Amino acid sequence: QVQVVESGGGLVQAGGSLRLSCTTSGLTFDDYAMGWFRQAPGKEREAVSCITWSGDSRYYADSVKGRFTISRDNAKNTVYLQMNSLKPEDTAMYYCAADRANGGCVLTKDVYDYWGQGTQVTVSS
């Protein structure tokens, strides 16, 4: 049974930082590209970032470029999202997802196979 579990969310002031973690089990982690998505109340789920299985390529939504960094540790079956210079508009539920991609990764939620339950990030002004 595949499990995807996010952690690290919380309440932070604007300008602060958080690091999200996502650990998987039940799948061969380095067969999968990993993505982070977020969903604010009343809005659609949107892509934040993704990383290829090797970690060689990373992609970011324009709204987080230069502030967020995605990384992964295949030995620990874990992907991270370092979030700096947080803004109130970053407030959302953050989800981790796994995509059995063919070498790449995409910022499209529909292709992802497995999802976590999410971790809440709240940024106060």
Side-chain angles (χ1 to χ4, degrees), residues 34-110:
M34 298 299 296
W36 284 98
F37 296 79
R38 66 187 182 186
Q39 188 167 17
K43 295 189 176 181
E44 290 199 4
R45 192 170 298 189
E46 64 175 5
V48 174
S49 182
C50 71
I51 186 168
T52 54
W53 72 269
S54 64
D56 287 349
S57 296
R58 312 167 194 211
Y59 301 94
Y60 299 92
D62 288 344
S63 58
V64 307
K65 276 180 186 174
R67 300 188 299 122
F68 290 12
T69 302
I70 191 170
S71 61
R72 67 188 292 160
D73 184 339
N74 287 352
K76 295 183 178 179
N77 291 357
T78 300
V79 61
Y80 304 96
L81 186 69
Q82 178 67 44
M83 306 186 295
N84 298 330
S85 302
L86 282 160
K87 304 175 181 180
E89 50 263 45
D90 294 318
T91 295
M93 186 72 79
Y94 281 71
Y95 297 91
C96 175
D99 170 28
R100 184 138 192 192
N102 241 355
C105 77
V106 293
L107 294 174
T108 305
K109 60 183 184 294
D110 294 343

Side-chain angles (χ1 to χ4, degrees), residues 5-28:
V5 181
E6 304 94 337
S7 62
L11 173 63
V12 63
Q13 287 189 331
S17 297
L18 282 174
R19 187 174 84 150
L20 305 184
S21 299
C22 168
T23 301
T24 70
S25 60
L27 55 76
T28 303

